[in-house]
Amino acid sequence: MADWIYILNPLRDVLDQEPCDKEKILGLAEEDPEAEFWLSRRNRMVPGDRVWFFFTSPDAAVAAVGEVDEEPRLDSEAGDGSYLVPVTLLTEATKALYRAPVGRDELGLGQVRSVQKVKPGALPLLLERAGL
């Protein structure tokens, strides 16, 4: 199993025509936790991997987590070589992270621009805050 950081910029990213902010993802985790997220490249995600959602604003922090349901698949509707990855948001863990997000400094992240693997040193803190 691998752990991934997935970047969401609420000023740019949308889901269901709404800004993809912490509140939107928390609401999905509580009401409709199965979602698909866009990837610019396939990555090597497999079912069971965790996806930690890093929100770039207003405070840069991880505030949600989900589990990969299926390997990423080509987004045939986009026609640009992008992929979709089905993820089930983990409701209780997302609630815990929403209440106590893990900030950029705590994660030891520099510039975050694309989906990347979680640094091994940051994983224990993420797991603890998420109650996993």
Side-chain angles (χ1 to χ4, degrees):
M1 172 179 21
D3 288 88
W4 302 85
I5 296 281
Y6 186 98
I7 297 89
L8 287 172
N9 180 344
L11 302 175
R12 186 189 70 215
D13 298 322
V14 294
L15 192 58
D16 300 330
Q17 281 85 44
E18 294 180 31
C20 210
D21 58 15
K22 296 174 194 174
E23 290 72 25
K24 172 71 175 175
I25 297 296
L26 177 64
L28 284 175
E30 293 175 325
E31 297 167 20
D32 189 16
E34 294 180 5
E36 290 185 325
F37 292 90
W38 178 86
L39 297 169
S40 61
R41 57 190 171 134
R42 185 183 178 285
N43 294 309
R44 298 210 179 270
M45 294 177 176
V46 297
D49 283 0
R50 281 185 295 249
V51 179
W52 302 88
F53 292 93
F54 179 86
F55 297 87
T56 60
S57 67
D59 301 310
V62 170
V65 63
E67 190 172 284
V68 173
D69 296 322
E70 300 172 26
E71 290 186 17
R73 67 180 185 285
L74 193 60
D75 182 356
S76 57
E77 291 181 20
D80 60 1
S82 61
Y83 292 82
L84 294 172
V85 61
V87 172
T88 297
L89 296 163
L90 303 177
T91 304
E92 294 306 315
T94 294
K95 286 180 185 178
L97 286 165
Y98 181 85
R99 289 188 300 270
V102 181
R104 176 193 305 267
D105 293 340
E106 294 176 284
L107 292 168
L109 289 176
Q111 186 70 18
V112 182
R113 293 190 179 163
S114 64
V115 174
Q116 61 189 11
K117 286 195 175 177
V118 171
K119 292 182 179 183
L123 187 57
L125 177 59
L126 289 168
L127 293 169
E128 179 185 328
R129 291 272 179 91
L132 297 176

